[in-house]
Amino acid sequence: MPSPLADPVKLPCGLVLPNRLSKAAMAELIAKTNRPTSTLLDAYEKWSDGGWGSILTGNIQVDVNHMGSPYDPALHSEYKDRETNSALVAEWKKYADACQKHGTPAIAQVCHPGRQSFRVAGRRGLFAPTLAPSAVPMDVGDSYLERLIGCLAWTAPKEMTTQEVERVIQQFVDTARLMADAGFSGIELHAAHGYLLDKPPHRRLRRHPEKRARFVLEILTQTRKVVPSTFAIGIKLNSADHSSATFEETMTQIKLLADAGIDFMEISGGSYEDPRMMGYAKADAAPVSARTAAREAFFLEFAKEVRTRHPGLILMLTGGFRTRAGAEAAIRDNACDLVGIGRPAAIDPKFALRLLDEGVEEMHAGMPLNKVPVPWFARFLPVHLIGAGAETTYYSMQIQRLAKGIATIAPSL
C-alpha cells in the first residue's frame, strides 16, 4: 500500500506541497554577516534536492538589533519595495532560489526573539534591554548558578510601548513583503519557543487570550494586504498540556487564528527556559503520557486535540520523528497533515527520499539518534540548558559540514 507520506497537500492559499514531509526549521548559525551567505545557500541547495514536500528555513530575524543568535540572517532596515531596494531583493532571491532549485516550495520562518535575545546577539549593545510585552526577566531556574547564567546570558527586558509594538508589527510585515518579492513560497510566523509572538509572560494578559492573539492577528491581517494571494502564511505555536491552566486559552487563540485564515499551523513546544523542542525539560516539568512516549512525536496529544476542534486546519507536527513508521502513524491517526523533521535532515539532507522510497525496508527507513554528548564539566550545570545548547550547536555544525560537502556525523549510538 502506498505511503500516505507521499500524498500532496494543498494549502488554502492554493500552494501545493508535493508530499507530507517538511524539512523543519533548525538553527544554522552560518550567517555571520546577518545576511544570506554562500554557505547558507549551499546547505539549502542540498535540502532542495532531498525529496522534501516543503522546506522551512531557520530563523530570519525581523530586526538586526534583536537576534536569536549572532549568526541569523536578518532585516537590517526598513524595506520599501522591490524597486527601491532592488539590491536587497536580489540578495534574498539567491536564498529563495537555492531553497527551491529543484521545485520544493520554501517557507521562510520569520522571528523576533523578544526577551530571549542573548546579550551577544544583535546590534543593540551588551547592556541594552530586550523587548517584551512586560518586564518579566528570563527564569532558567532558582539555584544561584541558574540565576547567574540567566543574568550573564540575557539583559532584563523592557515593557514595549505602543510605538514599539507598532514598529515590530511593521518589521514583520516588511520582512514578509521582502520574502514574497524574493520568491519564497510563504512565511511562517514563529510564535513559539518563548519568542516575542509567543504568549506574553505577564499574568494579567494571560487571562485574556483575545488580547494575547491580537498582536499576531494584526501582523497576519496587514501582511495579507501586501503579499500575493497565493503566498502562504503559516504560524508555529507551542502546545499546552491538557492539565495546564492555559490549555483552553491556547485553544481560544488557535480558533482566532483558524478563523483569520491561516494557511497552516505547526505544533511545537518549549522555550529557552524549558527546551522541550530539543528533547530536554526542566526537572519540575510535567512528564508526557505513556501513550505519547510510546510514539515518536513529542507533541502528539495536543495536535490531535487541535485536529478534533478544527478538522479543516492544515497541521504540521514537528519534534521527535525518526522513522517512516512513526511519521505514517501520525498521519493515519489524523494527528496532522504534515510531518516536520529536523535533526535527521541535518545528518542526511535526502532523508525524505529514504522514507518515501518503498524499496527501502521498514527497518532501514529511519534514523535513530542518541543525545549529543556534553563535556564532563556539564554535570555541574543545569542539564536542561546545557543539553539543549549542545544539541543546537552539534546539529548546526552538521549543517555547516553538509554545506561544505563534508560527511556529516550522527551522535554515537
Side-chain angles (χ1 to χ4, degrees), residues 30 38-48 349 399 402-403:
I30 293 176
S38 59
T39 306
L40 185 68
L41 270 57
D42 289 342
Y44 277 89
E45 187 173 328
K46 297 287 197 311
W47 281 314
S48 75
I399 293 171
L402 73 87

Side-chain angles (χ1 to χ4, degrees), residues 6 70 79 91 94 99 121 141 152 170 183 185 227 269 278 310 316 319 328 358 361-362 372 385 391:
Y79 177 64
E91 181 179 48
K94 293 179 181 178
C99 294
L152 292 175
Q170 188 60 50
S185 296
V227 298
M278 300 302 298
H310 304 284
M316 178 188 299
E328 287 181 343
E358 296 180 21
E361 296 181 8
E362 201 68 33
V372 170
L385 294 179
E391 294 276 332

